[in-house]
């Protein structure tokens, strides 16, 4: 995803970058196009899609247009820790255009409005696995690997 956004010759990437700079969600059709292209390129049987689905529409359209989802991982973490981590990432030279406090807060508001109902829906059909993301990076990653290997 970031590779596409950072490619100044990629029209889709340029369009997505403009949307991200505003702290808005990228439209489902654009996200699905990028995902489908990348999944076809990789030809794997398991994918870990970071930050997807972010909306109920994305979850439904992904399963309808691409492939059924076995499960989604929900990283549980409070907003204060998330803001702190994103700002630290920016201090460490992330190069992300959306790593500033104002945009981070907008992203979190958008996240809660769009993604919380998606998590609730996926949980209602037993497609959510929860991870306590307040733990260390290594602990969280180890939990992800255990889930992905099961």
């Amino acid at each position: 995803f970031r590779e596409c956004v950072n490619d100044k010759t990629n029209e889709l990437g340029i369009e997505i970058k403009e949307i991200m700079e505003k702290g808005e969600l990228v439209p489902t059709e654009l996200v699905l196009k990028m995902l489908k292209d990348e999944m076809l390129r990789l030809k794997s049987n398991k994918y870990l899609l970071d930050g997807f689905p972010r909306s109920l529409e994305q979850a439904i359209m992904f399963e309808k247009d691409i492939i059924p989802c076995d499960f989604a991982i929900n990283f549980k973490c409070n907003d204060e820790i998330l803001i702190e981590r994103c700002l630290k990432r920016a201090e460490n030279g992330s190069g992300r255009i959306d790593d500033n406090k104002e945009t981070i807060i907008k992203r979190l508001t958008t996240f809660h409005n769009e993604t919380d109902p998606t998590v609730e829906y996926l949980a209602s059909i037993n497609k959510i696995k929860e991870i306590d993301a307040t733990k260390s990076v290594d602990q969280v990653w180890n939990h992800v690997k255990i889930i992905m290997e099961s």
Side-chain angles (χ1 to χ4, degrees), residues 26 39 73 76 90-91 101 114 116 118 127-128 143-144:
V26 177
M39 291 171 82
I73 299 173
K76 300 285 285 182
E91 288 173 12
K101 190 165 187 173
E114 294 289 330
D116 287 353
T118 306
K127 289 193 174 190
I128 285 289
H143 197 167
V144 169

Side-chain angles (χ1 to χ4, degrees), residues 59-116:
I60 292 168
M61 287 181 68
F62 180 84
E63 291 200 292
K64 179 180 172 266
D65 296 342
I66 298 181
I67 191 169
C69 170
D70 291 335
F71 62 87
I73 299 173
N74 184 36
F75 295 92
K76 300 285 285 182
C77 191
N78 67 52
D79 287 357
E80 293 78 24
I81 292 173
L82 293 173
I83 292 167
E84 178 184 320
R85 288 178 176 175
C86 288
L87 291 173
K88 184 160 181 76
R89 179 177 63 189
E91 288 173 12
N92 292 331
S94 69
R96 288 181 55 145
I97 55 175
D98 55 352
D99 270 351
N100 59 74
K101 190 165 187 173
E102 181 181 327
T103 305
I104 291 166
I105 291 169
K106 282 184 187 177
R107 282 182 13 229
L108 282 171
T109 300
T110 301
F111 174 83
H112 290 300
N113 290 338
E114 294 289 330
T115 306
D116 287 353

Side-chain angles (χ1 to χ4, degrees), residues 38-56:
E38 187 65 9
M39 291 171 82
L40 288 171
R41 186 183 72 77
L42 293 173
K43 298 178 183 167
S44 181
N45 66 346
K46 280 189 178 182
Y47 301 93
L48 179 59
L49 306 175
D50 181 18
F52 185 88
R54 291 192 180 185
S55 69
L56 187 53

